[in-house]
Amino acid sequence: MSQPLLTATALRRASLDAVLQFAWDADAFTASDVIENVGLTRSTAIDVVDELVERGLLAELPNARAAGEYQKGRPARRFSFRADTGCVIGVDAGRGHLTATVADLHGETRAVGHLAVDASQDSPEDRRRDAARVVDDALRAAGLTRADVTALCVGVPAPVDRNGSSPPHRDGFWRRMNPSFGDLFGEWAPIVQIENDASLAAVAERTVGAAIGCDDFVTLLAGERLGAGVWVDGRPLSGAHGGAAEMVAFDHVRGVEGAWGLGYRAAELARRSLAKGSLPASSALRRLDAAEIDGKAVLTLASEGDAGALGIAREVGETLAVIAGVLGSLFDSRRIVVSGAVAAGAAPLIAAAVDALPRELDLPVPEIVASELGADIVSVGAVRAAVEAARGGVLDLPGFAGSR
């Protein structure tokens, strides 16, 4: 059966989108570059470029002769994508913290806002108020306003479906973590996405981190609670309700017994060892008050060779091996990336996990590596997701309609 012919309007839109996608990733370019890379006729290429300039998405630069690139004959017009014509915001709406990163349309950071919150004060009203505050503070720090925002993405510690909603939970936790953020920010942001935080961490690793070029990997957020962002065959897994790889399954796994994160486990083991007096005399953990012990402190000391902390890291590493074995069995992953704030001191526990992992898995064992993207990884992934959303939707926004 023959395919229906595209209408003139559809053809025009396709040409605009193709040139915009080329320009978004290009440096300075000419109409000839568009013709070569996009495959349009010269007249169409020039007309489309001119329209994108009119819409405010491209800027015309000084021509080749004025830029010092001598050529005979009429100098070529030069253009570039205007990354500053709008901005995107990536938000990490964690239970005890909120981070908002404002970036240009290339994803280059303009400002970052942090807000520590009381995890016990997690009513929907509190969460919405705090999220709006950290976003507005970050915009202010960047010298921008809500009117400058093209797309916004929020990461939450809950499953998220394709409509940006979280399913019911036995104690209402998921919907407290995602108290209709789509409606809140949709009141003024043109494009809004709500995603699971671990899924966004995986986006960050895939685009700028330890999983570039890897089609089969798991990003493990492992601070206080476990969260996993899973990619298989080059695509992220989500599920009907956004619950693919929901870590509550580890409540039923011997050797893990819960979705507590690696940082939480390290801190708990250290406190118990301190209370029992079983830490080596040389361990710096003996000189800390129990209230001062957290996962970062334990793993930092382990990285520095502290005997007591190293023993704890090895024990947590054996738990990581079980987790990696389950994830590797389910998804046949090539790589598992330990991400988040805990990653900075994860080398000792990863070494222990690597030693134990062959006993946990029949398939080829996945590589386990530490992320280098730090504690802001979720907002980094949210920025990348917001950039992609902007790329796909900016031509439909009234602010970039032009006068044609």
Side-chain angles (χ1 to χ4, degrees):
M1 181 182 294
S2 62
Q3 296 294 320
L5 296 176
L6 292 174
T7 65
T9 299
L11 284 169
R12 180 66 172 190
R13 171 54 188 258
S15 297
L16 284 166
D17 187 63
V19 174
L20 179 61
Q21 299 310 313
F22 164 74
W24 208 297
D25 296 324
D27 294 323
F29 63 91
T30 66
S32 295
D33 295 323
V34 173
I35 295 165
E36 178 180 349
N37 287 277
V38 181
L40 301 178
T41 66
R42 175 166 292 276
S43 61
T44 300
I46 292 172
D47 191 40
V48 167
V49 166
D50 284 340
E51 180 172 341
L52 291 172
V53 170
E54 181 186 335
R55 285 175 175 241
L57 291 164
L58 301 183
E60 184 163 3
L61 306 174
N63 63 42
R65 184 172 296 160
E69 300 173 8
Y70 176 78
Q71 66 178 40
K72 294 181 179 180
R74 184 176 180 180
R77 296 169 67 195
R78 300 165 66 249
F79 306 90
S80 68
F81 174 69
R82 287 189 57 192
D84 63 347
T85 195
C87 73
V88 298
I89 304 177
V91 181
D92 174 8
R95 188 178 186 189
H97 69 274
L98 292 105
T99 300
T101 301
V102 179
D104 67 19
L105 295 182
H106 274 152
E108 296 296 323
T109 299
R110 296 280 302 272
V112 180
H114 295 279
L115 180 64
V117 296
D118 185 344
S120 66
Q121 301 296 314
D122 64 358
S123 71
E125 295 76 20
D126 290 335
R127 294 272 292 169
R128 289 162 66 92
R129 180 199 63 232
D130 291 338
R133 174 183 167 189
V134 74
V135 165
D136 287 337
D137 286 350
L139 281 170
R140 193 175 303 111
L144 301 170
T145 70
R146 291 179 173 185
D148 297 305
V149 176
T150 302
L152 180 149
C153 180
V154 185
V156 297
V160 180
D161 66 19
R162 294 170 182 85
N163 298 315
S165 300
S166 295
H169 185 266
R170 65 177 67 94
D171 67 0
F173 176 75
W174 289 340
R175 289 187 174 174
R176 292 200 307 278
M177 292 300 97
N178 179 18
S180 300
F181 278 140
D183 293 336
L184 173 68
F185 292 113
E187 292 178 358
W188 55 267
I191 300 173
V192 176
Q193 284 187 313
I194 314 298
E195 301 287 352
N196 171 260
D197 55 359
S199 296
L200 290 176
V203 169
E205 297 294 354
R206 168 80 168 178
T207 53
V208 295
I212 295 173
C214 185
D215 285 344
D216 300 280
F217 71 96
V218 176
T219 295
L220 191 67
L221 281 179
E224 288 297 303
R225 299 281 294 177
L226 293 176
V230 180
W231 282 58
V232 175
D233 296 336
R235 292 181 292 183
L237 293 188
S238 178
H241 307 98
E246 173 56 38
M247 295 292 98
V248 72
F250 282 111
D251 289 350
H252 311 289
V253 176
R254 184 180 304 167
V256 183
E257 283 93 20
W260 299 110
L262 305 180
Y264 176 90
R265 292 169 189 270
E268 281 294 295
L269 286 172
R271 293 190 195 104
R272 291 176 196 166
S273 298
L274 181 64
K276 291 189 292 186
S278 59
L279 289 166
S282 62
S283 176
L285 289 171
R286 291 173 63 99
R287 297 188 289 277
L288 295 179
D289 186 87
E292 298 177 289
I293 295 176
D294 59 17
K296 181 178 180 181
V298 175
L299 295 179
T300 298
L301 286 172
S303 297
E304 295 170 353
D306 182 277
L310 271 172
I312 291 167
R314 292 190 187 102
E315 187 171 345
V316 176
E318 291 177 359
T319 301
L320 173 59
V322 178
I323 294 168
V326 171
L327 295 173
S329 294
L330 287 172
F331 305 116
D332 192 14
S333 305
R334 290 187 180 277
R335 188 172 301 160
I336 292 176
V337 185
V338 177
S339 301
V342 72
L349 62 86
I350 288 177
V354 169
D355 288 341
L357 187 56
R359 301 193 298 270
E360 303 292 339
L361 192 63
D362 292 327
L363 289 166
V365 298
E367 178 186 21
I368 306 178
V369 300
S371 170
E372 296 183 356
L373 298 182
D376 289 344
I377 183 172
V378 174
S379 65
V380 171
V383 164
R384 304 313 307 184
V387 168
E388 288 306 304
R391 290 181 73 140
V394 69
L395 287 174
D396 296 318
L397 301 183
F400 298 99
S403 59
R404 296 194 184 199

